[in-house]
Amino acid sequence: MAKKLYIESQGCQMNEYDSSRMADLLASSHGLTRTTIPEEADVLLLNTCSIREKAQEKVFSELGRWQRMKNARPDLVIGVGGCVASQEGEAILERAPYVDMVFGPQTLHRLPDMLNQHLLQQRSQVDVSFPENEKFDFLPEPRVEGHKAFVSIMEGCSKYCSFCVVPYTRGEEISRPFDDVITEVAQVARQGVREVTLLGQNVNGYRGEHHEGHLCSFAELLRAVAAVPGIARVRYTTSHPLEFSDELIAAHAEVPELAAHVHLPVQSGSNRILAAMKRNHEISVYRDIITRLKAAKPGIFISSDFIIGFPGETDQDFQDTMDLIEFVEFDHSYSFVYSKRPGTPAAEMADDTPDSVKKTRLNILKTQIARNTGLKTDAMMGTVQRVLVDRPSKRYLGYLVGIAENTRWIHFPGDASLIGRFADVLVDGIESINALRAGAPLWVESDAEAQVGLGLPSGRIPLWHEAR
């Protein structure tokens, strides 16, 4: 009987991509098949994220549950990877000696050897080193299911924002060679992928070696990816304002495959707070980028990240952030109250703002952006949206579900033969955030935790927004 692998992936899309590559590796080396049920797995892997508050404690809490499984099945193999593993290293074994493997984001390609050594020696293996770009040379061809895929184009970050642990857990920026990225995109396209998302901590800092001898810019890479046969939509995440070039803005105007949506983290609308965060730009730079993007691609949707309650944030600093939100009209955001990350400069900063004030500010921000989301969703009424048809609807018999450029999921009647293809859909029914506030009943699809909506009469098209 084939042995099984369970991977719990926390955090960002980079971790989702890394988890898929772990599964590819162990399927190739040890014949492990992936399962969604941890109790039936022979190998359990926890791919960790250190961005959120108390990340380490959440890791050890999950490991405690896994320990009970291992007590019942001593041959069960437990591994911890990702950014918390990179930060903690051997210290994980001090608190959880039943863990068999500890590996960082840059050493996941060594998993087969680590597993072999553990099985041979019956002792824990630790490798949280930072080999430059080595991991991509040892990864097998990706195996994908469905019609969307992530492709990593670079690793690490060299910006050293004062609040961020990424440079310490994933290393500095290293770009994959141009040919390697294009090869992987072509591989997933041959498996039926039609939408690809390029991943990196700072994708617009991409400088990959080109086979013609020069360093390829991110905009040049985008154009090449869009030209790969079978690829009809391209997304990317995440970016930094410092390297959002004129060339990249021009690509949004000139490359039809490039989705009309940009996620560009800003973190704060206050110049004073941006300086404390070591973002190394003023808010005027961000405003200018957005203005030029909107001119280059009318109707483009913009999302961002915000940290609320950064040490020293005043009422005026927060108001500056709200002014920026009014100016940009963000479609959605990933917004959180600041939490200290061990080892970062910001962790040593004085912070006398009460938690209650921070939470109130966050609620105000989220309420405004949710209002933006609802208004932008409502404005889609009567428009024709090009959607990538993803799957049958679980809510409506005979309906399909497709994703639009602006990340909305649209349910519409159609034949299953459309799955994996693009379709133009007329939106003639919408239940947005505003309708929900008016008292519409809420339901959630089991595989789409962020999608909400209300059933509409047969023959109409329910549109769902992602309230992220």
Side-chain angles (χ1 to χ4, degrees):
M1 181 182 296
K3 292 193 173 184
K4 296 185 178 181
L5 167 70
Y6 173 81
I7 305 176
E8 179 178 320
S9 187
Q10 303 173 341
C12 66
Q13 292 100 328
M14 286 291 292
N15 268 17
E16 291 183 42
Y17 173 83
D18 284 350
S19 292
S20 69
R21 302 320 316 270
M22 294 176 201
D24 292 339
L25 273 166
L26 293 174
S28 176
S29 65
H30 290 76
L32 295 179
T33 59
R34 197 165 178 178
T35 178
T36 58
I37 305 171
E39 289 77 12
E40 68 179 28
D42 301 279
V43 177
L44 298 172
L45 297 180
L46 183 58
N47 193 12
T48 63
C49 174
S50 59
I51 296 299
R52 302 291 179 84
E53 186 179 9
K54 298 180 180 177
Q56 286 86 346
E57 294 310 311
K58 292 175 182 177
V59 167
F60 287 109
S61 176
E62 181 64 11
L63 288 177
R65 289 188 283 271
W66 287 6
Q67 181 186 19
R68 292 191 288 273
M69 296 168 59
K70 183 154 186 165
N71 289 341
R73 297 165 51 208
D75 289 339
L76 179 65
V77 176
I78 296 177
V80 180
C83 290
V84 172
S86 182
Q87 275 185 299
E88 299 295 310
E90 298 263 2
I92 289 178
L93 301 182
E94 295 174 11
R95 288 187 58 178
Y98 49 86
V99 169
D100 303 301
M101 300 183 296
V102 178
F103 55 96
Q106 306 293 57
T107 53
L108 66 86
H109 62 290
R110 298 176 181 172
L111 260 176
D113 287 339
M114 294 179 73
L115 179 55
N116 285 337
Q117 289 301 312
H118 164 68
L119 295 174
L120 179 66
Q121 301 172 7
Q122 288 299 300
R123 63 182 179 86
S124 299
Q125 307 291 312
V126 179
D127 188 345
V128 290
S129 57
F130 288 84
E132 290 192 4
N133 245 349
E134 174 188 304
K135 80 177 188 183
F136 295 105
D137 295 333
F138 292 88
L139 296 176
E141 180 172 334
R143 299 187 303 175
V144 296
E145 295 180 5
H147 309 285
K148 304 190 300 295
F150 295 129
V151 173
S152 178
I153 68 169
M154 63 188 301
E155 289 280 330
C157 184
S158 302
K159 295 296 179 285
Y160 288 92
C161 298
S162 65
F163 56 83
C164 186
V165 298
V166 167
Y168 311 103
T169 60
R170 285 186 174 265
E172 295 205 339
E173 292 172 4
I174 302 171
S175 298
R176 294 181 69 185
F178 170 87
D179 287 357
D180 290 4
V181 174
I182 298 302
T183 296
E184 185 169 333
V185 172
Q187 288 170 339
V188 299
R190 286 195 295 269
Q191 297 177 58
V193 166
R194 296 294 170 257
E195 175 181 306
V196 66
T197 300
L198 305 182
L199 297 179
Q201 269 71 38
N202 176 31
V203 290
N204 49 358
Y206 175 83
R207 298 293 183 273
E209 183 179 347
H210 195 282
H211 59 264
E212 294 180 351
H214 66 277
L215 292 181
C216 176
S217 70
F218 181 53
E220 183 181 353
L221 178 69
L222 278 174
R223 293 176 186 271
V225 168
V228 172
I231 298 301
R233 182 182 287 164
V234 181
R235 303 183 190 272
Y236 60 86
T237 191
T238 188
S239 304
H240 193 291
L242 279 180
E243 291 166 304
F244 213 98
S245 65
D246 293 342
E247 185 186 15
L248 179 53
I249 292 173
H252 277 278
E254 298 164 3
V255 180
E257 294 83 3
L258 196 51
H261 169 249
V262 167
H263 184 74
L264 184 58
V266 65
Q267 310 301 352
S268 174
S270 161
N271 282 330
R272 199 177 67 82
I273 295 300
L274 288 176
M277 289 177 167
K278 295 187 178 178
R279 296 289 284 172
N280 294 320
H281 69 85
E282 293 192 340
I283 206 62
S284 59
V285 171
Y286 191 91
R287 284 176 175 248
D288 180 62
I289 291 170
I290 299 302
T291 299
R292 290 186 292 133
L293 259 177
K294 288 183 174 182
K297 188 77 171 181
I300 194 168
F301 285 68
I302 309 294
S303 58
S304 193
D305 296 347
F306 291 95
I307 296 174
I308 302 304
F310 190 80
E313 182 187 75
T314 64
D315 287 342
Q316 184 57 55
D317 294 324
F318 177 66
Q319 185 57 52
D320 290 344
T321 297
M322 295 305 298
D323 290 345
L324 178 68
I325 289 170
E326 181 179 1
F327 173 79
V328 175
E329 298 180 320
F330 292 103
D331 182 37
H332 61 263
S333 75
Y334 300 93
S335 308
F336 307 95
V337 167
Y338 169 76
S339 62
K340 292 183 179 181
R341 306 313 310 135
T344 61
E348 307 301 321
M349 294 180 181
D351 182 9
D352 57 3
T353 305
D355 286 344
S356 59
V357 172
K358 296 178 183 180
K359 290 176 181 178
T360 296
R361 290 174 182 168
L362 180 65
N363 185 58
I364 291 170
L365 182 147
K366 285 189 170 184
T367 298
Q368 180 56 55
I369 290 184
R371 186 176 294 116
N372 291 350
T373 305
L375 291 172
K376 289 179 181 296
T377 301
D378 291 344
M380 294 173 69
M381 183 71 170
T383 65
V384 174
Q385 298 292 320
R386 184 169 183 257
V387 303
L388 173 58
V389 186
D390 189 66
R391 62 186 187 274
S393 171
K394 293 184 178 180
R395 183 68 174 181
Y396 298 114
L397 184 63
Y399 273 59
L400 303 173
V401 184
I403 188 169
E405 284 194 57
N406 59 14
T407 76
R408 270 61 168 186
W409 289 92
I410 301 178
H411 294 225
F412 63 99
D415 185 83
S417 63
L418 289 173
I419 294 174
R421 298 164 59 186
F422 283 85
D424 291 328
V425 177
L426 173 65
V427 179
D428 66 359
I430 294 176
E431 291 299 334
S432 72
I433 226 168
N434 298 329
L436 294 172
R437 284 188 181 145
L442 172 69
W443 58 268
V444 181
E445 281 200 326
S446 61
D447 64 344
E449 63 181 359
Q451 299 170 13
V452 298
L454 171 68
L456 296 175
S458 176
R460 301 189 66 190
I461 303 170
L463 182 146
W464 307 67
H465 72 271
E466 291 190 274
R468 297 196 242 183

